[in-house]
Amino acid sequence: MPSPSLAEADALPVAPALTPAASPEQAPEVWPLTARTVDNRLHVGGVAMDDLVRACGTALYVVDEADFRHRAAQWRQSGADRVHYASKAFLCAEMVRWVDSEGLHLDVCSGGELELAVANGFDPARIVFHGNNKSPDELAAAVAHRVGVVVVDCHEEIDRLARAAARTGRVQDVYVRITPGVAAETHAYMATGGDDVKFGFPVREGHAERAVLAVASHASLRLAGVHCHIGSQITATEGLALAAERVGLFVADMARRHAGTVDEIDLGGGAGIPYVPGDLRLDPAEFTAALRTGLARVLPPGTVRIAVEPGRSMIGSAGVTLYRVGAVKDGLRRRFVSVDGGMSDALRPSLYEARYTAWTAGRTPRGTPVHSVIVGRHCESGDVVVPDIALPSDITPGDLLAVPYHHAMASNYNAQPRPAVVAVSDGQARLMVRRESPADLRRRDAHGEPVQLSRV
């Protein structure tokens, strides 16, 4: 076979479809509820974003309180019996208070999230402790704080939790997390309901049944429910209904075979939200209706209560990240717009190949669309904030760009301090999380301090 010519070897790949850059007026589904362009400047919560940047700097996370409270109300009215806010979507002290004031339950998936919730006055009886491979210390803390429900994910957790509860003379309510063999139509890293995932006990081959019997064998544990979550960023209901049906069949089978009943089925969250113009949002009422449809196929009405766990769909659309453009550079087939953040504050494009739109915050651009990619300042080729977007050609260093995104996955990669988080509402701004400084990062450095070894 002849070798390719130099021209063929150097041929550039075909350009992908571009995401349009879109203002709140052009794509309101993507932006926070109160986002508006006023006098050519982006406003959220009645606050001009360029004014906020002058006060707080960039990169900067902004949260629209009205948007969050609107979504929380929608979920409370969705037809679910209980609504649990998923902490991993975003949690801080102020967020704990918002969730509490909305009358929601709270999911946590680490000891750190648990302590943050309890330290800020959240009722532990309304906390559900999630996560896989919870440590003995975390399980003991859950019992000590009198957490309402612990979701057990493996046999080691069942045994550890039983011992921790027995030591205190308490009977701890648990959900057993099962995987029903339903593959969500989403990115592989966000699919959690198949047979070969790290979470839960598969129904197939009796794994879930053995977990239920293991819980029943401990006097210090009570099986309060069964938990299932098939994935995130779901916009179609067929998989939700099928998962609910399979979970309902499992519950009915356990009742028939072992005379055991559960009070509640927690069917997770994962309702998708729009990130680029034209994306769909799965309505909370539609989400819950699909679950009830699936359960109704196999269980009589009123047999169990339904709990749901919306996280992203309650807070995701409320967030905007503001960046300052530092450099604009033309490549061979696209323009690179570099901002003062990146994968340490916007990980999803690198992790999930997530796509976003963007818009200017301090002025209205007039240039023609140009194939661009918004990149970060980290030492990685995969440090992309917004891939393949049609940005106006007059974007220039010094411009402010707003990207509908928030900080749940922020890190200190490349020793980058994490941005501040500011809540906006009714023309006022309040600091939720302060900006990290280089001094904060240095404070963790132990400078080679000797470790005192303990011997068994």
Side-chain angles (χ1 to χ4, degrees):
M1 179 180 293
S3 299
S5 68
L6 187 59
E8 291 171 330
D10 288 343
L12 295 173
V14 176
L18 301 183
T19 298
S23 69
E25 289 71 32
Q26 293 166 329
E29 69 274 16
V30 172
W31 293 90
L33 193 66
T34 66
R36 303 284 188 277
T37 303
V38 181
D39 295 330
N40 294 320
R41 300 157 70 202
L42 178 64
H43 288 62
V44 179
V47 176
M49 294 295 96
D50 51 344
D51 288 347
L52 192 60
V53 163
R54 279 188 285 273
C56 300
T58 51
L60 181 68
Y61 299 115
V62 183
V63 179
D64 181 0
E65 182 176 351
D67 189 299
F68 167 77
R69 294 191 183 278
H70 171 74
R71 310 289 176 197
Q74 286 186 317
W75 278 102
R76 286 200 312 272
Q77 298 158 14
S78 70
D81 297 299
R82 279 182 23 175
V83 179
H84 307 162
Y85 173 75
S87 295
K88 72 174 189 175
F90 172 52
L91 196 69
C92 65
E94 183 71 359
M95 197 69 209
V96 169
R97 290 187 279 271
W98 288 6
V99 172
D100 194 14
S101 70
E102 292 294 328
L104 307 173
H105 286 64
L106 182 67
D107 287 344
V108 301
C109 59
S110 71
E113 290 179 348
L114 173 61
E115 294 299 329
L116 181 57
V118 173
N120 286 281
F122 202 89
D123 180 4
R126 287 162 49 211
I127 292 178
V128 178
F129 196 166
H130 264 295
N132 72 300
N133 192 25
K134 293 181 280 291
S135 72
D137 286 346
E138 288 175 321
L139 294 170
V143 173
H145 285 305
R146 306 185 71 82
V147 161
V149 175
V150 177
V151 182
V152 291
D153 188 83
C154 61
H155 284 284
E156 290 83 357
E157 283 187 0
I158 294 172
D159 294 338
R160 292 167 186 165
L161 183 63
R163 288 194 295 269
R167 285 194 296 269
T168 67
R170 184 180 178 216
V171 177
Q172 175 65 56
D173 279 359
V174 302
Y175 294 158
V176 171
R177 180 163 184 170
I178 70 173
T179 54
V182 176
E185 294 182 8
T186 186
H187 190 282
Y189 287 179
M190 294 189 284
T192 58
D195 289 324
D196 191 28
V197 296
K198 75 171 187 173
F199 296 107
F201 299 91
V203 172
R204 290 177 59 184
E205 300 182 9
H207 293 280
E209 180 179 10
R210 288 191 289 275
V212 166
L213 295 178
V215 169
S217 72
H218 293 286
S220 59
L221 302 180
R222 185 183 83 89
L223 181 65
V226 173
H227 177 276
C228 164
H229 177 68
I230 64 170
S232 298
Q233 196 53 12
I234 298 168
T235 55
T237 59
E238 291 82 1
L240 294 169
L242 178 59
E245 179 180 354
R246 291 188 180 179
V247 173
L249 279 172
F250 175 77
V251 168
D253 191 44
M254 291 301 96
R256 178 179 58 81
R257 288 159 53 85
H258 303 293
T261 60
V262 299
D263 300 324
E264 195 159 76
I265 294 180
D266 184 337
L267 288 156
I273 64 173
Y275 286 112
V276 299
D279 271 359
L280 300 176
R281 176 187 296 276
L282 186 53
D283 179 76
E286 188 179 1
F287 181 97
T288 303
L291 302 180
R292 290 202 179 277
T293 295
L295 288 176
R297 295 170 186 162
V298 293
L299 291 177
T303 304
V304 294
R305 297 188 300 274
I306 293 179
V308 293
E309 303 171 354
R312 172 207 314 264
S313 61
M314 200 180 291
I315 189 64
S317 296
V320 169
T321 308
L322 299 171
Y323 299 104
R324 180 80 68 183
V325 176
V328 177
K329 179 172 60 177
D330 286 324
L332 293 181
R333 67 176 180 89
R334 54 186 180 169
R335 176 171 289 177
F336 295 91
V337 178
S338 298
V339 297
D340 55 353
M343 62 192 303
S344 64
D345 55 71
L347 182 61
R348 292 187 75 252
S350 299
L351 185 63
Y352 299 138
E353 300 176 330
R355 300 178 71 89
Y356 294 91
T357 189
W359 195 247
T360 51
R363 67 180 182 89
T364 299
R366 305 297 180 190
T368 57
V370 174
H371 182 179
S372 304
V373 54
I374 302 175
V375 297
R377 61 189 309 274
H378 297 69
C379 194
E380 298 284 348
S381 294
D383 180 24
V384 174
V385 177
V386 180
D388 299 310
I389 181 171
L391 278 183
S393 59
D394 57 337
I395 297 296
T396 188
D399 276 339
L400 291 177
L401 289 182
V403 179
Y405 185 84
H406 67 90
H407 102 315
M409 293 184 173
S411 75
N412 294 124
Y413 184 56
N414 280 169
Q416 179 75 2
R418 287 173 291 184
V421 185
V422 177
V424 291
S425 179
D426 298 325
Q428 303 295 314
R430 301 188 317 282
L431 191 63
M432 298 180 84
V433 180
R434 68 176 178 84
R435 183 179 301 280
E436 281 184 324
S437 69
D440 291 324
L441 304 187
R442 292 195 301 271
R443 202 168 288 123
R444 296 188 64 230
D445 201 319
H447 301 284
E449 177 182 325
V451 175
Q452 299 301 316
L453 302 177
S454 60
R455 292 178 173 82
V456 179

